[in-house]
Amino acid sequence: RESDKREILSKMYPPRVAEALAQGRRVEPEHHDLVTIFFSDIVGFTDISTRMKPERMMEMLERLYHAIDSLALHFNVFKVETIGDAYMAVTNLV
């Protein structure tokens, strides 16, 4: 369905890009004078995860990323991806 496609695109891309892709248009590149890319990774995550119960590990990650997501929303930071213990976000692109 068209609405499902738009919803998925809006979760993956900034609004301008999602709209262009939903309409089948080419996404034109933009120039930005200043962009910040944020990467985070939990030091020792593999070792920590072997000593914690899976439920506790998931609760820890949920609390951590909920806090980061809240800050990102407040400061207009676009979350690109969260994979395991890694988090990537950008500013000045949205």
Side-chain angles (χ1 to χ4, degrees), residues 9-63:
L9 288 171
S10 70
K11 289 181 180 179
M12 295 175 57
Y13 298 104
R16 179 188 71 82
V17 174
E19 188 60 30
L21 292 173
Q23 294 176 0
R25 293 185 287 117
R26 180 172 183 257
V27 178
E28 297 294 328
E30 294 181 348
H31 173 81
H32 298 272
D33 291 326
L34 178 65
V35 173
T36 300
I37 301 175
F38 170 79
F39 294 97
S40 74
D41 187 66
I42 299 172
V43 175
F45 177 78
T46 302
D47 186 47
I48 293 167
S49 66
T50 61
R51 292 190 253 138
M52 291 178 82
K53 290 184 177 185
E55 297 84 5
R56 189 155 179 241
M57 176 59 64
M58 292 305 297
E59 288 171 5
M60 180 193 78
L61 290 174
E62 180 69 25
R63 283 193 317 272

